[in-house]
Amino acid sequence: ATLATLDDQTLVAKWATDPVILAAGEATYVGTCNACHGADLSATMDVGGVKIPLPGLPLTDGQWKFGGKPMDIFKLVNDGSPPESDGHNGARMEAWGRKLGPQKVAEVTAYVISRLPEFKPGG
């Protein structure tokens, strides 16, 4: 029922400010998203001071290939890359909703948007 009422404003103002939701989203991010998007969301991994690119797109550059609103991000995580996408360096976003379910997808989306300045008030 909660997910049926999910929208951009609810994700930003409620989910992305709730410490319990953010902790759950961070745990999912660390276990599922780190490998492609990096711990700092930059899609790089620091190895001895050298930034090594990871397979995913950076989430910190303000560029959203398939829509930059919170529900666009939720949809991308849930459904994966759209069929018309060639992917990034051949890698396409998996449809994580099939494995995680919509609750965890919403939590991880809230965690990601909580870390980005464009979703903060005045951002």
Side-chain angles (χ1 to χ4, degrees):
T2 301
L3 295 177
T5 62
L6 203 59
D7 59 21
D8 291 335
Q9 183 59 31
T10 303
L11 267 171
V12 172
K14 184 176 178 188
W15 286 62
T17 60
D18 183 314
V20 173
I21 290 172
L22 293 177
E26 180 177 21
T28 299
Y29 184 90
V30 168
T32 307
C33 311
N34 259 359
C36 290
H37 297 288
D40 65 356
L41 289 69
S42 71
T44 62
M45 179 174 59
D46 190 321
V47 178
V50 176
K51 294 280 189 178
I52 306 295
L54 296 172
L57 288 168
L59 306 176
T60 54
D61 63 3
Q63 297 180 26
W64 298 98
K65 201 172 181 181
F66 303 108
K69 295 189 180 298
M71 288 303 294
D72 296 332
I73 298 166
F74 172 89
K75 182 176 178 2
L76 181 62
V77 175
N78 195 62
D79 300 342
S81 296
E84 67 273 11
S85 170
D86 294 333
H88 178 64
N89 295 325
R92 296 184 45 158
M93 178 81 156
E94 183 175 340
W96 287 104
R98 293 180 194 150
K99 290 183 179 178
L100 301 175
Q103 177 77 27
K104 286 189 181 225
V105 170
E107 291 166 352
V108 79
T109 301
Y111 170 72
V112 168
I113 65 176
S114 78
R115 303 266 319 265
L116 302 175
E118 62 260 40
F119 297 109
K120 303 249 188 274

